[in-house]
Amino acid sequence: YGFFGLYRGLSVLIYGSIPKAAVRFGAFETFKNHMVDERGNLPPSGRMLCGLGAGICEAIFAVTPMETIKVKFINDRRKPNPEFKGFLHGVGMIVKREGIGGIYKGLTATILKQGSNQAIRFFVMETLKDKYRGGDPKQNVPKYIVGLMGLFA
């Protein structure tokens, strides 16, 4: 255990966090590009819908599989003789035994959670940015202000 025991399981967190953020922000920007008006403004309903879509994508492509895998790995480690020899081995065994559905347990609940979280988060963030810019989408928002808005959202 010791000092490095603090980092046990970090690889699974990294494997999940990077794709989760990529899917969340990539999906939001993709949906946003389809919903902005001719001036580049996203209406309030669009902010909410784009956030909802981002959350749903995040749930399907990143959160549900990673959370399900994480729980199965925790349960495996509690066994007297753990079976999983590493991340890829463990995922392979789960899929071999249970099919692809084995990594999608709880999908509906996760879609509801992530969809509502991101709908609210992106609505707040985009509304704050819009207020700061005075409705002009070309107006620059300094990075530290965006960071503060993100903290609030």
Side-chain angles (χ1 to χ4, degrees):
Y1 299 120
F3 176 76
F4 291 106
L6 294 172
Y7 298 97
R8 185 175 209 135
L10 181 63
S11 61
V12 174
L13 179 64
I14 291 171
Y15 297 152
S17 295
I18 293 170
K20 182 169 64 170
V23 170
R24 176 191 303 161
F25 292 107
F28 179 79
E29 290 300 323
T30 299
F31 296 140
K32 179 179 172 181
N33 288 338
H34 290 290
M35 294 192 74
V36 292
D37 63 19
E38 62 281 346
R39 288 191 57 215
N41 288 313
L42 185 63
S45 60
R47 297 171 196 160
M48 189 77 74
L49 282 172
C50 291
L52 176 64
I56 291 170
C57 289
E58 178 182 45
I60 294 168
F61 298 112
V63 177
T64 302
M66 289 313 302
E67 288 299 314
T68 304
I69 290 166
K70 179 177 76 174
V71 168
K72 289 180 186 258
F73 269 69
I74 290 168
N75 289 332
D76 183 66
R77 288 283 171 221
R78 290 183 174 168
K79 293 177 180 177
N81 296 313
E83 299 175 64
F84 304 152
K85 294 175 178 49
F87 181 76
L88 294 177
H89 178 259
V91 172
M93 287 188 69
I94 293 166
V95 171
K96 185 176 179 181
R97 280 190 202 142
E98 303 176 43
I100 196 72
I103 61 171
Y104 276 96
K105 304 293 183 195
L107 178 61
T108 303
T110 306
I111 284 173
L112 293 171
K113 181 185 98 168
Q114 294 303 119
S116 60
N117 283 349
Q118 301 317 326
I120 293 166
R121 180 173 289 143
F122 280 109
F123 175 81
V124 171
M125 185 71 178
E126 291 296 309
T127 300
L128 290 172
K129 285 177 12 185
D130 187 57
K131 296 285 184 209
Y132 184 90
R133 294 187 296 230
D136 179 6
K138 294 186 181 17
Q139 175 76 24
N140 185 41
V141 182
K143 298 291 183 216
Y144 76 95
I145 297 290
V146 171
L148 291 172
M149 290 174 179
L151 181 67
F152 182 74

